C-alpha cells in the first residue's frame, strides 16, 4: 500500500509540473516573473528589468532632470513627468533626443534589450547667454536674481538662459533694477543706465516771539544747507534734491543771532 501511494504522489507532482510548463512557456515569456540583470559596465545609469513583450522589442523609461522635457524615440514624442515611457520599441541601439526650453538639447543612443526595460535618467544642462551691462556712473555692483556677481559695470556677464532680475547698486545712488530674459547663445543689452543719486529734502522754519513776527516776516533771511544757499523773506521753506547724509543747516537774519543745527538727510524723505 505504501509503495502504491508513492506512485500516485509521483504522478500528481509530474502532472503539476507539466501543467505549469504549459501555462508558462519560457519561449514567449508569459510568466509574471521579473528577473533583475546587472547594469552593463559602460552604461552608468541604465537598469534593465524583464517585461512581457513580443519577440524583437523592448520598452524604454526615460526620466529627465528637470522634468517637462520633450523626449523623442523612434518617431514617438512624449513629455517627461518626470518619466517618458515608450513601449514595444525595436530592440537594439535607438537614437533619443531630449529637448527643454533654455536647456541644451541632449542626443544619445539607448540600447533597447529584447523583452527588457531600458531605463535612464538624463540631467539637462542650462544653455548660456550673455548680459551686456553699462551704467553711468560706472562701477556699480551687479546682482542677478539677488546674488552678487562680485563684478562691476561696465561688463559682459555670462548667465544661464531664462528669466533674470538685474540690479545695480552704488553707494550714494538709488538701487536700479529690471527684469529681463536671457536667451541661449544671445546677447542681452542693458546699457546707458543713468543712476540717480540718493536725495532728500529739508524744511526750514523759525520760531520768533509774537511781538516780533511782523518785523521778522519782512526781513530777508539767508538759509544755508550744506553748500546750498537760499535768500528768502518767507519761512518755512523747503530745499529739495539734497545729497543724503548729515548736513549743517544755518539761518541768518539782520538783527538776530544766527541759528544752526545738524540734521540727517534721508533718501526720499523730508527732514
Amino acid at each position: 500500500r505504501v509503495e502504491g501511494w508513492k506512485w500516485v504522489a509521483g504522478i500528481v507532482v509530474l502532472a503539476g509540473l507539466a501543467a505549469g510548463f504549459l501555462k508558462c512557456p519560457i519561449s514567449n515569456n508569459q510568466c509574471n516573473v521579473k528577473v533583475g540583470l546587472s547594469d552593463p559596465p559602460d552604461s552608468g545609469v541604465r537598469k534593465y528589468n524583464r517585461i512581457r513583450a513580443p519577440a524583437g522589442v523592448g520598452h524604454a523609461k526615460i526620466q529627465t532632470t528637470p522634468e517637462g522635457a520633450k523626449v523623442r524615440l523612434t518617431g514617438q514624442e512624449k513629455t517627461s513627468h518626470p518619466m517618458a515611457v515608450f513601449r514595444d520599441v525595436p530592440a537594439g541601439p535607438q537614437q533619443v533626443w531630449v529637448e527643454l526650453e533654455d536647456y541644451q538639447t541632449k542626443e544619445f543612443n539607448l540600447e533597447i534589450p529584447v523583452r527588457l526595460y531600458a531605463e535612464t535618467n538624463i540631467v539637462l544642462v542650462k544653455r548660456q547667454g550673455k548680459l551686456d551691462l553699462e551704467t553711468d556712473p560706472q562701477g556699480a555692483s551687479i546682482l542677478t536674481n539677488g546674488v552678487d556677481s562680485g563684478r562691476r559695470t561696465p561688463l559682459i556677464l555670462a548667465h544661464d538662459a531664462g528669466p533674470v532680475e538685474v540690479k545695480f547698486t552704488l553707494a550714494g545712488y538709488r538701487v536700479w533694477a529690471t527684469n529681463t530674459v536671457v536667451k541661449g547663445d544671445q546677447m542681452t543689452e542693458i546699457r546707458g543706465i543713468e543712476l540717480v543719486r540718493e536725495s532728500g529734502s529739508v524744511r526750514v522754519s523759525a520760531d520768533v516771539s509774537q511781538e516780533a513776527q511782523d518785523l521778522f516776516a519782512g526781513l530777508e533771511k539767508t538759509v544755508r544747507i550744506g553748500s546750498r544757499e537760499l535768500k528768502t523773506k518767507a519761512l518755512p521753506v523747503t530745499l529739495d534734491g539734497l545729497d543724503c547724509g548729515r548736513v549743517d543747516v544755518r539761518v541768518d537774519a539782520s538783527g538776530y543771532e544766527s541759528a544752526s543745527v545738524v540734521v540727517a538727510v534721508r533718501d526720499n524723505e523730508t527732514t
Side-chain angles (χ1 to χ4, degrees):
R1 288 182 182 179
V2 173
E3 293 297 328
W5 279 110
K6 288 182 179 180
W7 279 105
V8 171
I11 293 172
V12 171
V13 170
L14 290 174
L17 290 174
F21 179 80
L22 292 174
K23 291 181 181 179
C24 179
I26 300 302
S27 59
N28 60 13
N29 193 33
Q30 295 297 311
C31 291
N32 277 329
V33 178
K34 294 184 178 179
V35 180
L37 303 182
S38 59
D39 296 344
D42 60 344
S43 70
V45 293
R46 294 173 192 156
K47 297 179 181 179
Y48 301 86
N49 295 306
R50 186 159 311 272
I51 59 168
R52 299 176 61 181
V57 299
H59 293 349
K61 293 180 178 180
I62 302 172
Q63 182 173 337
T64 68
T65 305
E67 64 180 72
K70 292 181 179 179
V71 183
R72 285 184 289 147
L73 171 64
T74 63
Q76 303 179 62
E77 182 177 294
K78 299 190 177 183
T79 303
S80 61
H81 291 298
M83 184 175 292
V85 179
F86 297 85
R87 303 187 184 280
D88 297 337
V89 179
Q94 299 293 343
Q95 198 165 27
V96 181
W97 290 266
V98 181
E99 297 176 337
L100 182 61
E101 186 178 5
D102 296 332
Y103 288 81
Q104 297 177 18
T105 298
K106 183 78 172 179
E107 183 179 341
F108 62 98
N109 285 326
L110 181 64
E111 184 71 28
I112 307 296
V114 178
R115 293 178 178 166
L116 300 174
Y117 263 116
E119 297 184 32
T120 184
N121 180 24
I122 302 301
V123 179
L124 299 175
V125 178
K126 272 274 193 179
R127 296 171 65 193
Q128 289 240 314
K130 292 183 178 180
L131 291 164
D132 187 359
L133 308 172
E134 180 191 63
T135 62
D136 181 19
Q138 299 179 355
S141 297
I142 303 165
L143 291 83
T144 56
N145 293 331
V147 178
D148 193 339
S149 68
R151 312 286 295 280
R152 295 180 180 272
T153 59
L155 179 71
I156 294 178
L157 180 68
H159 198 278
D160 288 345
V164 59
E165 181 194 51
V166 178
K167 188 179 293 183
F168 299 128
T169 62
L170 183 62
Y173 290 81
R174 292 176 183 168
V175 174
W176 187 94
T178 188
N179 290 291
T180 188
V181 176
V182 176
K183 299 291 186 181
D185 305 319
Q186 295 184 26
M187 182 80 75
T188 301
E189 292 188 356
I190 304 177
R191 298 176 57 84
I193 304 303
E194 295 184 5
L195 302 179
V196 178
R197 288 197 67 88
E198 292 180 338
S199 65
S201 303
V202 173
R203 184 175 184 269
V204 180
S205 61
D207 292 329
V208 295
S209 64
Q210 185 71 30
E211 298 80 15
Q213 283 186 0
D214 291 340
L215 176 62
F216 187 78
L219 294 176
E220 184 175 71
K221 298 92 175 171
T222 302
V223 179
R224 297 182 179 89
I225 303 178
S227 60
R228 299 271 297 274
E229 181 178 300
L230 173 68
K231 293 186 180 297
T232 180
K233 288 185 178 182
L235 288 179
V237 65
T238 301
L239 273 73
D240 300 318
L242 300 170
D243 290 345
C244 292
R246 298 181 68 81
V247 64
D248 182 68
V249 179
R250 181 185 177 93
V251 179
D252 293 299
S254 178
Y256 289 83
E257 292 184 1
S258 298
S260 65
V261 65
V262 176
V263 299
V265 180
R266 297 181 177 86
D267 188 36
N268 275 332
E269 295 183 9
T270 299
T271 301

